[in-house]
Amino acid sequence: MNLTRLFCEVDDFCNAFIPEWEKTQLNDGCKKRRRTRSLSPSEIITLIVLYHSSGYRTFKWFYTRHQHLSQAFPKLVSYNRFIELLPDILIPLTFFMKSRCATGKGIAFIDSTPLRVCDNLRISRHQTFKEEAQRGKSSTGWFYGFKLHLLVDDCGQILSFRITRGNVDDRKPVPSMLKNFIGKVFGDRGYLSKKLAALLALDDVELITTLKKNMKPRVLAAFDKLLLRKRCIIETINDQLKNIFDLEHSRHRSLTNYMINVVASLVAYSYQDKLPSLNIARKDLTPLL
């Protein structure tokens, strides 16, 4: 990852977004001191995204032992102070990721992946997300935590994302995720629903899913059958997010920092030099779409 490019793009976004965002915040009428901090929001976001692309598995080790951080960021604060500053950048970081989302060109793949916050044997003793996390079931079994819903295109770019509790139906966030998309969306049997397909059809979105074993086969165009078999691209993306960009671990101590971890891993993924892709020539797709 190019650190200079990352910081410049984050800084340009923060300089435009944060002043407008602060105008919308409520004021309690009390005068407060606004001291200039050693680290700007742009630097905090850059550091947390840089961690997720660094290969480290513990942020404290990255922050305290990475040799080049002090050279790039001469005003680094202590580790404990940095953790205290993190909650302030949740909203700017989330909107920065939304600005990184692509628009889509007619083909998309949708799927959800479980975000476990603890092992199943420790559910009864887990306290950090006791009020937020829920039990859910995926294709690999039961889990306790949250779900990350992703919409990606055939070039591996993220088009939209949502974070929900673990017990939320995969089909619930689909209409909002596809709000600005037109074309064909491919998903697994978890998205099978005539009502949902009819609702999306009103917005020129065709939902194509695999069938359950007890259902009669249906007629599909050869092009749709081919792309339905290529849903593995989103599984590859989920695998990279968890194993390369540290999307999922059980060491969180607050909900805010947990959300920052999830969104920052998506930003780090979007800055990859080479994204998973189906290598489909766009000129060949125009008559089929």
Side-chain angles (χ1 to χ4, degrees):
M1 177 182 292
N2 189 313
L3 179 59
T4 303
R5 176 196 169 195
L6 172 63
F7 174 76
C8 289
E9 292 184 359
V10 171
D11 193 51
D12 290 343
F13 175 83
C14 288
N15 289 337
F17 174 81
I18 291 181
E20 297 299 321
W21 171 54
E22 290 178 341
K23 292 178 183 178
T24 65
Q25 298 184 38
L26 297 178
N27 193 345
D28 57 6
C30 299
K31 291 185 178 180
K32 298 179 181 179
R33 295 199 313 173
R34 289 183 172 270
R35 299 174 60 184
T36 303
R37 293 174 174 173
S38 299
L39 286 179
S40 66
S42 305
E43 291 175 309
I44 298 173
I45 292 176
T46 302
L47 280 166
I48 198 68
V49 172
L50 187 63
Y51 156 69
H52 283 278
S53 61
S54 66
Y56 281 81
R57 283 295 175 262
T58 306
F59 180 72
K60 187 173 184 179
W61 279 58
F62 166 78
Y63 193 81
T64 58
R65 303 193 181 191
H66 199 283
Q67 299 177 353
H68 306 293
L69 284 186
S70 58
Q71 300 175 7
F73 303 91
K75 296 183 179 180
L76 278 182
V77 296
S78 66
Y79 170 76
N80 290 337
R81 179 55 179 162
F82 186 88
I83 297 301
E84 292 175 356
L85 296 175
L86 271 182
D88 296 341
I89 57 100
L90 174 59
I91 301 301
L93 176 63
T94 303
F95 277 87
F96 178 65
M97 179 58 217
K98 289 182 70 68
S99 71
R100 298 279 305 165
C101 291
T103 55
K105 298 180 180 179
I107 295 177
F109 301 87
I110 192 168
D111 197 10
S112 67
T113 185
L115 301 178
R116 298 171 176 83
V117 297
C118 71
D119 189 83
N120 287 342
L121 296 176
R122 297 182 60 250
I123 292 177
S124 60
R125 291 177 287 160
H126 186 82
Q127 297 296 322
T128 305
F129 302 120
K130 186 177 180 180
E131 302 297 328
E132 295 86 13
Q134 294 291 337
R135 299 191 189 200
K137 190 176 183 181
S138 68
S139 58
T140 57
W142 289 93
F143 69 94
Y144 180 72
F146 302 90
K147 281 183 180 179
L148 173 63
H149 304 263
L150 280 182
L151 181 72
V152 304
D153 63 9
D154 57 291
C155 298
Q157 301 178 99
I158 297 177
L159 306 181
S160 183
F161 65 95
R162 296 290 185 277
I163 305 170
T164 65
R165 289 181 168 90
N167 61 347
V168 173
D169 193 308
D170 288 349
R171 294 167 289 193
K172 188 173 182 179
V174 171
S176 61
M177 294 176 68
L178 293 169
K179 189 174 181 180
N180 299 316
F181 178 81
I182 296 176
K184 297 185 177 184
V185 179
F186 299 87
D188 58 21
R189 59 178 63 92
Y191 296 93
L192 189 61
S193 170
K194 291 183 179 180
K195 183 178 179 180
L196 177 61
L199 178 64
L200 295 177
L202 298 176
D203 296 323
D204 297 325
V205 177
E206 184 180 358
L207 179 62
I208 303 172
T209 66
T210 53
L211 299 177
K212 295 181 179 179
K213 293 180 180 179
N214 60 351
M215 297 180 68
K216 294 181 180 180
R218 61 184 173 185
V219 178
L220 283 178
F223 174 72
D224 294 341
K225 284 184 178 180
L226 176 64
L227 287 185
L228 202 54
R229 298 192 193 118
K230 298 296 182 180
R231 289 184 301 105
C232 58
I233 184 175
I234 198 167
E235 299 291 348
T236 301
I237 293 172
N238 288 333
D239 181 72
Q240 288 190 0
L241 286 170
K242 290 185 176 182
N243 295 304
I244 299 178
F245 300 103
D246 199 30
L247 172 67
E248 181 186 52
H249 65 78
S250 59
R251 301 183 301 276
H252 297 287
R253 294 298 175 263
S254 73
L255 180 63
T256 302
N257 288 359
Y258 177 82
M259 294 301 172
I260 289 173
N261 177 83
V262 174
V263 179
S265 65
L266 297 178
V267 176
Y269 165 82
S270 70
Y271 273 97
Q272 274 195 111
D273 293 330
K274 186 176 181 180
L275 298 175
S277 175
L278 298 183
N279 296 319
I280 301 175
R282 190 59 54 181
K283 61 181 181 180
D284 298 333
L285 294 180
T286 303
L288 297 173
L289 295 175

